[in-house]
Amino acid sequence: MRELKLALILLTAPLVALYALSQIRADYALYAEVRDYGHPATAIVQSVEPDTFIGRNTSGRELIYTLELPGFTPITGLAHMSKSAADKFSPGQEIEVVYAATDPTLTTLSVTHAWHALVSDLIIFGAYAAVLALTFALSRARPERMARA
């Protein structure tokens, strides 16, 4: 049974890694665009909802806001944050956001918030890679132990 679990982890690892790397790429693109071409704007908070992961509530919150720019349809933005940070916001409240002049659909609460999201994703991916490396090492070491027994 243990070998089956290890095999399942190793078989699904490329898909998880690909998803994680695509998320890191998207977060870096957002950070780079708002850092280099960011313009401040005022958005309206639509809601503050519990953050979910695979259908289960987490301790964080999602701040959903709408940004209206001349010549564009309303742009909906989303920011993940702690419950204590989210308690400062309420529906209908005006907030300052930053959008990329090159692509106004790229929005964030601030350049710092975009940076924190990128660093958070990198830390999670690093931890996942370490666990995957350990799993791979254990799966490689197991046949040698079996041969000795």
Side-chain angles (χ1 to χ4, degrees):
M1 184 66 168
R2 187 175 284 165
E3 289 80 16
L4 181 62
K5 289 179 182 176
L6 287 173
L8 184 61
I9 290 170
L10 293 174
L11 288 173
T12 59
L15 296 174
V16 173
L18 187 63
Y19 172 77
L21 289 172
S22 71
Q23 187 64 43
I24 289 169
R25 181 183 168 275
D27 283 350
Y28 178 75
L30 172 63
Y31 168 70
E33 287 294 313
V34 296
R35 179 195 63 204
D36 296 340
Y37 308 106
H39 289 290
T42 301
I44 305 295
V45 174
Q46 296 303 311
S47 64
V48 180
E49 301 174 0
D51 202 357
T52 59
F53 180 72
I54 311 175
R56 299 184 69 197
N57 288 347
T58 66
S59 61
R61 297 289 183 261
E62 288 181 349
L63 173 72
I64 301 168
Y65 58 88
T66 302
L67 173 63
E68 293 189 17
L69 297 172
F72 292 94
T73 59
I75 300 163
T76 301
L78 174 74
H80 299 275
M81 60 185 59
S82 68
K83 183 182 182 321
S84 60
D87 287 342
K88 300 173 186 165
F89 300 100
S90 60
Q93 179 182 354
E94 289 187 351
I95 59 172
E96 291 299 312
V97 297
V98 179
Y99 71 93
T102 55
D103 182 0
T105 62
L106 297 176
T107 66
T108 184
L109 293 180
S110 67
V111 175
T112 303
H113 193 266
W115 172 252
H116 288 184
L118 174 61
V119 169
S120 174
D121 286 348
L122 288 169
I123 290 169
I124 291 168
F125 181 73
Y128 176 75
V131 169
L132 184 60
L134 181 61
T135 303
F136 184 72
L138 289 174
S139 72
R140 301 283 297 177
R142 181 163 301 285
E144 293 172 10
R145 280 194 249 158
M146 298 291 247
R148 285 187 222 155

